[in-house]
Amino acid sequence: MSEKTGGGVKRREFLKVVGASSAALATAACAAEDTGKLIPYLVSPDQTVPGVSTYYATTCRECAAACGLIAETRDGRAIKLEGNPDHPLNHGALCARGQAGLQGLYNPDRFRTPMVKEGDAWKAIALDDAINRLSQAVAQGRGAAGNAVFLNQHESGSFPRFLDSWLAAFGMPAHLSVDAEADAAAMEANRRTYGVSWPSLDFKAAKLIVSFGADFLDGWGASVPQQLNYAEARAQLDAAPRFVYIGPRRSLTGLNADEWIACNPGSELAIANALAGKGSIQDAATASGADAAALQRIATELSAAKPALVLSGVTGDNALDVALAVAAINQASGAVGTTILSAQPITSFDGMSRTDQVLAAVERMRAKQVGVAFVRGVNPAHSLPRAAKFAEAFANVPVRVSFSSYPDETTELCTLIIPDLHSLESWGDAEPVRGTISLQQPTMDPVFAGTMGTADVLLAVAKKDAANAAKFAATDYRTWLFSTLPGGDKAIAAALPKGIMAGSLGARTTTVAAAPTAAPKAPAIAATQGDFFLVTYPSPVLGEGRGANKPWLQELPDPVTKIAWSSWVELHPETAQRLGVDRGDIVEVKTAQGTVRAPALPYLGIHKNAIAIPLGQGHRSAAQMATFQPKNHDPSNVQWGYGRYARALGVQALDLLPLGTDGAGGLVLTSTKASISKTGDHRTLPSTEGSARQHGRGIAQAINAADLNNPERPEHEEIPGDANHAFLPGMRSPVAADAQGELGSPTSANQGILKGMYDPADSRGMTKRRWAMTIDLARCTGCSACVTACYAENNIPTVGAYWQNASIWADERPGFNIERGREMNWLRLERYFEGNLDGKFGVDFETRFVPMLCQHCGNAPCEPVCPVYATYHAPDGLNVQVYNRCVGTRYCSNNCPYKVRYFNWFGYGESDRKQYAFPEPLNWQLNPDVTVRGKGVMEKCTFCVQRVREAENRAALEHRDVRPDEFTTACAQACPSRAITFGDAADPNWSVTQVARDRRAYHVFEELNTYTAVVYLKKVNHPAAGAAAPRG
Amino acid sequence: MATTAAPSRTVERPNIPSAAVRFPAIKDYEQVDREIAGTLRPTLGWFAALGIAILCMLIGATTWTYQIHEGLGAAGYQPPVMWGVYIITFVFWVGIGHAGTLISAILYLFRAGFRTSIYRVSEAMTVFAVMTAGLFPILHLGRPWKFFFLIPYPNWRLIWPNPKSPLVWDVFAILTYLTISSTFLYIGLIPDIAILRDREKNPVRKAILATLSLGWRNSDREWRHFTRAYLFLAAFATPLVLSVHSVVSFDFAMALTPGWHATIFPPYFVAGAIFSGIGMVFTIAIPLRKAFKLEHYITLNDLDAASKLCLFTSMVVGLAYLTEFQVAWMSGNRFEQDYFWNRVFGQWAWAAWIMLICNMVLPLSLFSQKLRRNPTWLFILSLFINLGMWFERFVIVVPSLSHEFEPWQWGSYKPTWVDYGILLGSFGWFFMWFLLFIKQLPAMAMSEIKEVIPPRMKHPDPQLEHELDVGYPHPSETGEYGTA
Amino acid sequence: MQGVLGAFHEIDSALHAIEELKKERFGDITVFTPTPRHEFEHAMSHAPSKVRIYTLIFGLAGVTFGYWIPVWISDYWPLVVGGKPVASWVPYTILGFEVMVLIGGLATVFAMFALSRVPRLTMTVGYDPRFSGGHFGVWVVTDPNRADSAMDILKKNGAEEVRRER
């Protein structure tokens, strides 16, 4: 289905022509240049027509996976990131973090110029000056090998090789390629078992999926390709594999599972062995606190499932052992080559250094053995536990150079800052899968003239050095890169439009060293002191913290807890009741290493013996906060603590962890117990969740796989308030039907006689079109990529920053506007729990995700109540909102059953206000096709009307009709599950029409006769044999 | 107008002493002029009260200015609760604005004698209440400076408001109501202004009054057309009163929202409006009769009669409340049932019970004649009624919106100082106008009171005596109505 | 215009005076009374007021106009809202009614003004401030030679004060 539903693909075909022709100019586009001009090219090339987008294929660097991007640029500015349809990893999809890369590019807190620390003060300096200082520092560092440390963010591609050659030239040891989120244990096990660090996974082939805390949908490995594949697997409906999740906490991936086995942290190994038949079920049950019968059942299922797919993402001290045990199970079930494709490995993670190597380096620093330290794109001061005492060790290094673009914790400790270019401004490459090179090209001139690509900085330094000038003769990194890539310039120029080329890069020079003995092993968690197991996990949206300075990601509610702009402590409702803790009560979590205070969140999906705290928040700074003025755009106003959007938000859970590594040298995130105590304070959690239950209102409907083809199944079970409601698949409001009730019913006798308001002959002059959408809940995983896509496409303001409140007598706390329900997410992801109503531990529950957006009703309740015609029905079935006409009575929202209309409570678009959502240069990202809404008007999902009109105009220019699936909406384009299909329901050639005919189709609140244009397809559950999935 | 003499014949109150005579303590026309014109002298207390009112009004004005600058986010809106204190207060004031015209028009047609003494006050109250209410729809707009989009003003591109929208019906209804009720007030005032004119010594004031009185001369010709016009105006105003609050109720009843979408709303709202109106009349008239020493004009009989009306409307409103629950219960509609359960036993129980107790329970005390004739109790009760009616609107607006179809979007609501500031301002604005009024123009219709008290006679002859005592033959006998 | 003005303190005297004046064929009599007394209406026996006709006509005009506005508005920009007919007459009844009341009501008032010759810019002859207070006045328009007999009648019936005016 996804082939059909990926409506964006055809659109891309057309656009690549443009891309190709502009490849040449792209090569010209990387020279640093004053960006003040409206069209920041040296010479405006013929291809650049103001107001017409140009598209560049490049590579995403937001995580190590290196997906392919297509960057839409308008007048020389990148305005939107979308997935590259030709890329072997993401096939056109893109996750929220990837799309938010744009806000890294335009981040208002980016360094504008190099800076040097003199005394306690930071001084802005010129690039040349910075380079001189750097070469002096390097000169000092020369000679004594091992006296330098270069911590580089892990990235696949040629740069690491270039970097090492440079370091070698200056007699420095190879750099450390750091990724704080990577699962070292899994990779080590993969290498030992399959000989590759990350095989690609084929869920489709699996008969059963068992995951030991492996969150393959939210950050474990290469999420997007895994999610695409998983969605395909689930889309096989009754043939889809059952998914069992085993772990102390139910993550986003866990919520997608059909069954959850809650176990004590550390007991996964016992379970794995038991399932493998190597250990007794009973012992496993006692160790894990799980139900023996359930384990037995799964063991049987597992032995029957050939092949199965078993994954381990355990973050405990025995992580490696579990990973190896799991690998054994896979081999036994014949997974290798069927569900685990080690022949088509994902090579992005190759050559990644391990935490213990970093710790060793830190110890060398502490021992004053390091003369110069470089940091690029990593933030150890934040992503290492405080127990590592990084800051003190780092202080012992005389010269500390940061190439970071953002004022993060580590950079604040440095002495010299030479801000790097963003990946969208610079050249690069990656080898995401073996044999395919993904090219990274600049999509625009650097935003800030004072920034320079680190590679070019290094080249410049080398040139200043007599001994190395010859070795680094290339004029700039691009030249160097092109000279190394296979095929040479011609092949590259040919490949650039598609962003990928065949071929392999040279082997990485960084090798994964054997774990130094120095690195402390983590103690067995059971041995530590405390009442609860403490589970810390990287946030699905903020990662280990690098996402925290991007307002889109802060505003995007956590897919599991639906909390934004905050940290929280998850504990089971039973536990909460026992401790007398309510949602939002501030609790103090205490371990041997430290304490944090954060609001409590009773959450069904956590073991009653465990508490969980997400990572990613808690960015700190020694500098004073008082200097911050929202309206102050002065570059010297550096926002230490990772920028205005991250600083002093939530807590840093790593403060609680002891320093420990697992057998594979990875940092152990589940390494200690903690005690928890209630403090007097309370803080309303900034959550977008109203009620987590649907009270039987049939918003998110599901069906058991067994019932799919069962004609006996009652049709109207989930339709409230309308007992004998006839369930009719497909669009209830097709073109041939009148939107006015009776005639709309396909069963009506008047069908075909009265054509209704979409009939061209109708006096109301509707055109023969009905833009519509289908959303397949069997595919949707709740990852929320569509939400961020909507923010990016439609210039939706983020409202959660603590200063975005009224001026007088208003509390200024992060997420205040979210607490008040004022978030503007035109498309929101609702997460409903089913079953286990009284929150008992041990009773399994089901989760349903529903993307909820304007349903563009045929009988739109919002329209007649508007006193000024600010919202009315467009002839092609769109429910239109006219911002200029809107006076803001908000009656439309009151009358909207779906509550999908959002009001501009403040002047989020007015640059002179503290509520301004797009401080310079964030406003460069704004989509010129979409109005930035003013204060006091209503807004809502438009079905990306700007894309509709663009396609129609293009078709008109080419004297043709709009082709089926020629284009699609931003949400549908981004969706890594391919759950959303958009198109013209009036035309059977659009895939949306076929999808809507699905047996599972339903409309939300069908009984209100709103005749929505959005058709949902029921989620398909695969309950354990005997057990029935909860209904709602 | 003259018809108000009738009640002394028609209304029988055997249990109340001297009920047969309307104003036993008022002897002749001169006394009326003397006493009522006497109330116009400004006093210290009046200045103090006016000062406070203006202060509150200014607080409101400042707050509004701030809100316009900052955006509606300054107020306590908490989506999905998109309407809050402003709409609540709008409906509250519109409701109060109903007593006036009810008393002056409907009771006029029904020949309810007790209206004579209180109708001027309540008419003034009506006009100022509607003036206050009229502010709120503008005040709650996201872009108040564009409020005129709602009015069908001629514009070059002929862009008009949407006549299907209840809010546009509001515009028409409220504006009509404001015009008609102020006209009504002014017409009634003309003869009294003439009286003041003729008593006035100061030439400037005399000139002004002369202009205001339009040179009224009390000639038989003037009176003849006057009484007839007044009659028709009343006949028009009567359905208007009923329509206006029905239209206001459509703002809610026309929506899908559970708790709003009910056919019972129009009668329910009208009854509630009259109920709250009477309440406000008590709140105003009882202190007034004390301050102005007019106890022998607004007699206990009048209060008693008004209380009965109050009691009646209270019971109608109470019935409406119960009917709502019963309808929700029997509808089998899950949304409605959830909502009403949540209203009384859930999140909003406190508000709902304030409403039920103030509007349903306390007024039952009026079954006791003692309390009906006890001004102090009536005053206290009236305060509770005002509170209760404000909360009735709160219970209608907020809980419905906070507990709609979409559980994911269920929410809460907490007003901020901005809401309260503007609420306070509305009271300041209302009382400012009212206080200014009662010292400039008579708070009681002199010429109409004169109508009720017997005129001086040289040698009363029995036939005429009879007529005077009973006023004059009922219009149906003189066939006046037949021709109307 | 000249005539005789009598001020009475008692209503019955005024009434008798009027009856006698009528017997004596004094045509143009105006009564001033602080408050409308129907005794005078009977005594003067005028035709009922014409106000109602204006009320009727303008009321009908109003309702027509009130219906027409929204229909025209809807058709001028035929926008579909809520899938309803462009000109849906049912709700327009409300506007029709409101406009009827507005126009009808105002028309009534202005008709009243016109018929009773209000506003009156000058206090012409034949009025006394007392008439708005406690006194009843009778103003007889007559030529000088019959003025005396009129004054006699007024006096005889107990007028407090009788004077000629011109």
Side-chain angles (χ1 to χ4, degrees), chain A residues 690-691 696-697 807-808 820 822 830-832 865 867 884 886-891 894-895 899 905 913 935, chain B residues 66 68-70 72-73 75-77 82-83 140 142-143 162 165 251 256 334 338 404-408:
Chain A
S691 161
R697 295 183 174 196
S807 311
I808 302 179
R820 293 226 143 197
R822 292 170 179 176
E830 303 183 350
R831 187 256 303 116
Y832 286 116
V865 297
N884 291 352
C886 176
V887 296
T889 66
R890 307 184 297 292
Y891 198 171
N894 288 348
N895 208 25
K899 289 281 163 276
W905 297 104
R913 291 182 176 277
K935 184 179 73 182
Chain B
Y66 168 73
I68 291 176
H69 167 268
E70 197 76 4
L72 272 187
Y77 289 107
M82 290 282 191
W83 285 356
H140 101 294
R143 303 200 295 167
N162 170 8
S165 166
D251 291 352
L256 288 174
R334 180 173 290 159
D338 281 6
E404 264 204 58
F405 294 94
E406 252 281 8
W408 190 257

Side-chain angles (χ1 to χ4, degrees), chain A residues 1-13:
Chain A
M1 185 155 77
S2 76
E3 287 67 17
K4 262 199 262 100
T5 56
V9 177
K10 292 213 176 54
R11 174 168 180 243
R12 292 274 160 262
E13 298 298 344

Side-chain angles (χ1 to χ4, degrees), chain B residues 130 173-185, chain C residues 102 106:
Chain B
V130 176
I174 301 287
L175 289 183
T176 307
Y177 189 56
L178 184 59
T179 322
I180 295 297
S181 51
S182 29
T183 318
F184 216 52
L185 173 66
Chain C
L102 184 64
L106 291 179

